[in-house]
Amino acid sequence: MKRLKQIVNGLKLTQEAPDAALMREFIFYSPKMPLRLHQEQLIAASKQFSLQVFDTYFTKVNVTINCFSWGNGNRKVLLTHGWASKALDFYELIIELQKIEDLEIIAFDAPGNGSSISEFSNLMLYADSVTSIALNYAKPDILIGHSLGGMANVIALQALGITSHLLISIAPLIRLKENFEQSLNSVNIEAKDQDIFFSNFAKEFSMPVSHFNLTELYELGPDVDHFLAYDPADHISPYPFLKEFLDQYPAISAKSFEDVGHYKILRSVNVIEDIVKRISALQMR
């Protein structure tokens, strides 16, 4: 968090046009929160392994992701965390999933998050991490993603060309550009200076950030069992974008959970109970 505070102060205190490199660092640097004791204990009870992910856009070399697994069941559940998060932020959900028979629960720290070392991170590193696990460890039967992880799961599934038995998106991001704008607005970056960042993004990624709009990217068919949990008052993943997405894809089953927020939704007893019921029912088919 110390580095993030330095970046934020550097952007807020500047009297001139903000430095383009500092804006880039602000967007792609993921702050890290230390594990709490109960999270450390859950990690200690896991099987731990590492996989390689190729960093296509930043370093153009392989980076390592640290992965964790609980149970040895035949059905594989993969958890994909959100931005500035880590595998063990799914702690409460992992505890409940362990009560379901015949599951192996797999989670990972995306590059630049948690214990996986990388200077910067981005959406495609998340999606490529999911792909690496599917190709090099186990094909997931059930994918659960929060926030940016929800978008990453969809991109990875479509790239892999595989169909999961159940896809669960918890407060997924829908539009990446608007999320970046929200972040830049929070440190008082004016629109004309944001345009510089977005122009540089398009050069670095060979596509505009507006490309990463789930409403336009989504190609999964209506046969995919896709459940989406959300809070209509979520400010990180605004409901108008989510409604547009759901209206476009009516086969997706969505449920509103009020007063849980974007981050606390992961710890919501009601959300976890709903997810466990859906997975348990899937086990009985």
Side-chain angles (χ1 to χ4, degrees):
M1 292 296 290
K2 181 179 179 182
R3 180 53 190 155
L4 180 63
K5 290 179 181 178
Q6 292 172 338
I7 297 168
V8 168
N9 288 336
L11 289 171
K12 282 187 173 181
L13 298 177
T14 182
Q15 300 298 314
E16 303 173 357
D19 181 74
L22 203 57
M23 283 193 290
R24 177 181 180 273
E25 186 173 0
F26 173 64
I27 292 296
F28 295 126
Y29 174 78
S30 180
K32 299 158 192 66
M33 296 295 290
L35 291 171
R36 297 174 180 268
L37 178 60
H38 62 280
Q39 294 173 324
E40 290 179 347
Q41 292 171 338
L42 188 56
I43 277 192
S46 71
K47 177 176 73 175
Q48 301 177 30
F49 59 99
S50 297
L51 294 172
Q52 296 295 299
V53 176
F54 187 73
D55 181 359
T56 304
Y57 297 102
F58 292 154
T59 62
K60 296 179 172 53
V61 298
N62 282 327
V63 295
T64 300
I65 57 168
N66 294 324
C67 308
F68 316 93
S69 166
W70 296 266
N72 55 5
N74 291 315
R75 291 184 184 262
K76 314 298 181 182
V77 180
L78 177 59
L79 308 177
T80 307
H81 65 75
W83 184 255
S85 185
K86 53 189 176 297
L88 268 293
D89 286 339
F90 283 108
Y91 175 87
E92 289 82 1
L93 178 58
I94 293 170
I95 292 296
E96 294 305 311
L97 290 178
Q98 285 182 298
K99 299 174 184 178
I100 302 175
E101 293 183 1
D102 199 32
L103 285 188
E104 180 180 6
I105 305 150
I106 306 160
F108 65 96
D109 290 339
N113 291 262
S115 63
S116 295
I117 296 172
S118 180
E119 184 179 10
F120 299 126
S121 194
N122 61 58
L123 168 63
M124 294 313 297
L125 281 171
Y126 275 62
D128 290 342
S129 297
V130 174
T131 300
S132 181
I133 290 171
L135 294 177
N136 301 302
Y137 181 74
K139 184 182 119 176
D141 300 294
I142 301 159
L143 289 93
I144 303 174
H146 172 242
S147 192
L148 190 72
M151 183 183 280
N153 279 348
V154 171
I155 291 173
L157 274 178
Q158 293 177 174
L160 287 163
I162 63 174
T163 301
S164 63
H165 292 159
L166 178 61
L167 174 63
I168 297 176
S169 300
I170 305 171
L173 285 187
I174 304 299
R175 298 187 186 182
L176 195 60
K177 182 176 189 288
E178 284 76 1
N179 180 259
F180 286 172
E181 287 175 340
Q182 187 180 66
S183 296
L184 292 168
N185 287 337
S186 73
V187 290
N188 305 323
I189 304 298
E190 296 182 8
K192 62 182 178 60
D193 296 314
Q194 291 187 26
D195 287 342
I196 295 172
F197 168 79
F198 289 122
S199 176
N200 290 338
F201 180 101
K203 293 174 184 175
E204 187 168 10
F205 288 82
S206 300
M207 66 185 75
V209 67
S210 58
H211 168 81
F212 298 101
N213 179 338
L214 204 56
T215 303
E216 297 176 3
L217 285 177
Y218 195 83
E219 297 175 353
L220 299 177
D223 56 321
V224 174
D225 189 353
H226 187 174
F227 171 64
L228 194 154
Y230 68 96
D231 181 342
D234 188 339
H235 297 297
I236 304 298
S237 183
Y239 180 69
F241 302 154
L242 186 61
K243 184 179 184 303
E244 179 188 33
F245 174 68
L246 293 173
D247 287 345
Q248 183 75 18
Y249 305 100
I252 297 173
S253 173
K255 187 173 180 180
S256 171
F257 296 86
E258 296 186 359
D259 302 320
V260 292
H262 188 73
Y263 298 105
K264 289 183 180 179
I265 192 170
L266 279 184
R267 302 194 298 274
S268 164
V269 172
N270 292 331
V271 172
I272 292 172
E273 182 180 75
D274 199 300
I275 290 172
V276 168
K277 283 181 179 178
R278 291 173 187 273
I279 295 176
S280 296
L282 187 69
Q283 292 286 103
M284 294 167 60
R285 292 179 188 173

